[in-house]
Amino acid sequence: MPSTTAITVSQLSRLIGLPGAPAIIDVRVDDDYNADPRLLPTSCRRDFKTVPAWAADFAGSRVAVVCQKGQKLSQGVAAWLRHEGIAAESLEGGFEAWREAKGLLVRTDKMPPRDDKGRTVWVTRARPKVDRIACPWLIRRFIDPGAVFLFVEAAEVAAAADRFQAVPFDIDDVFWSHRGERCTFDTMIEEFGLESEPLDRLAMIVRAADTASLDLAPQAAGFLAASLGLSRMFRDDLEQLQAGMLLYDAFFRWCRDATEETHNWPSAGKPA
């Protein structure tokens, strides 16, 4: 009989990248983590021994707990979180089962440092259109759900990055930027090790829209039109980002699940 306190690899993989995905807590011991220092998407590392001290950080969240094999550490931490009233499950089979199933794993060697509240902080040019919405979407859905994004005048990005210990992106002469014909979204997918069929398909659409190469993907023209429309609907860049998250969520689900589906007006006697 399936456990009622565990989530399977296939169940969790269907939630990754979606707005309702659970918070993922990695409680592997240091030796196991150092042997493979990658993380499930959006994971945060926590010490299982101090769970009473940090459990309240996840109040109101749905949580999936990951240890090396899905045994005592993750099950014990999940049980403690449930004691605190938090909806928590352990990942069945743990990190090893996820890796064996070829689930997405985030490279951590390029992960920016976090602030004193555990968040990554990023800065870019104001008035985003495509790439500067795409990158925050990717970060919040696959890297750091609590990431902070600062939008400033182009001439002030470098100084703001220095003063606020933020990571500059999508601007000339920084690491997280365009490379040849590929845009910053491509760079982040590559550097974080997130290559997958759905994200690669989305990256093609983003690249086509961002670089005015609309012939690369038939969806690019509509995607660009929606992006430009959003940029004119919102004066506040953070409000635009919030609205744009839904656009990218929808396109990601299409890239993942709906590329073969068509829609036609039903003829008489036939269902839609």
Side-chain angles (χ1 to χ4, degrees):
M1 182 176 179
S3 171
T4 59
T5 59
I7 185 168
T8 67
V9 167
S10 61
Q11 288 170 334
L12 183 56
S13 66
R14 295 295 294 174
L15 298 173
I16 293 293
L18 305 183
I24 301 176
I25 306 174
D26 185 306
V27 296
R28 286 178 291 164
V29 298
D30 289 344
D31 286 347
D32 288 334
Y33 173 74
N34 291 333
D36 189 343
R38 295 179 294 171
L39 293 169
L40 274 67
T42 70
S43 290
C44 60
R45 292 262 294 151
R46 290 288 190 275
D47 185 348
F48 72 91
K49 296 187 293 294
T50 58
V51 58
W54 52 258
D57 295 346
F58 297 91
S61 300
R62 180 184 176 188
V63 173
V65 186
V66 180
C67 67
Q68 187 70 5
K69 296 183 178 180
Q71 297 175 350
K72 55 186 177 295
L73 296 188
S74 58
Q75 291 183 33
V77 168
W80 191 283
L81 293 175
R82 290 194 298 273
H83 169 73
E84 298 285 348
I86 297 164
E89 300 167 301
S90 58
L91 177 63
E92 190 174 84
F95 183 86
E96 290 185 0
W98 184 270
R99 181 175 57 194
E100 183 177 347
K102 301 188 184 306
L104 277 178
L105 287 168
V106 179
R107 290 175 50 189
T108 57
D109 56 320
K110 302 295 173 56
M111 192 78 74
R114 296 175 182 261
D115 69 5
D116 57 4
K117 293 185 178 180
R119 307 168 298 184
T120 57
V121 183
W122 306 76
V123 61
T124 191
R125 297 170 287 139
R127 306 310 304 142
K129 299 295 188 295
V130 179
D131 219 3
R132 282 165 288 148
I133 299 294
C135 294
W137 174 84
L138 185 75
I139 291 165
R140 284 192 173 161
R141 293 290 185 255
F142 292 88
I143 307 300
D144 175 16
V148 174
F149 295 97
L150 310 177
F151 294 97
V152 302
E153 294 179 9
E156 302 303 324
V157 170
D162 179 62
R163 296 296 178 87
F164 296 96
Q165 291 75 57
V167 181
F169 71 98
D170 201 48
I171 195 165
D172 289 339
D173 301 320
V174 300
F175 181 80
W176 300 105
S177 191
H178 285 228
R179 298 178 183 176
E181 297 180 352
R182 295 167 67 83
C183 63
T184 309
F185 189 72
D186 292 297
T187 297
M188 289 192 173
I189 288 175
E190 177 184 357
E191 294 292 345
F192 285 124
L194 290 172
E195 292 91 346
S196 64
E197 186 174 346
L199 284 175
D200 290 347
R201 184 177 287 122
L202 180 57
M204 179 69 77
I205 298 170
V206 170
R207 189 184 319 134
D210 192 57
T211 62
S213 305
L214 300 183
D215 57 327
L216 291 178
Q219 301 79 21
F223 188 82
L224 177 60
S227 299
L228 294 177
L230 284 173
S231 75
R232 283 157 176 75
M233 289 173 63
F234 297 96
R235 183 175 182 178
D236 185 288
D237 292 340
L238 292 175
E239 290 184 2
Q240 182 190 340
L241 173 58
Q242 188 62 32
M245 295 290 286
L246 180 60
L247 175 68
Y248 281 83
D249 287 337
F251 267 79
F252 174 68
R253 284 305 299 269
W254 177 83
C255 289
R256 197 188 77 174
D257 301 323
T259 57
E260 301 301 321
E261 184 175 340
T262 60
H263 180 74
N264 295 301
W265 185 259
S267 57
K270 293 184 179 181

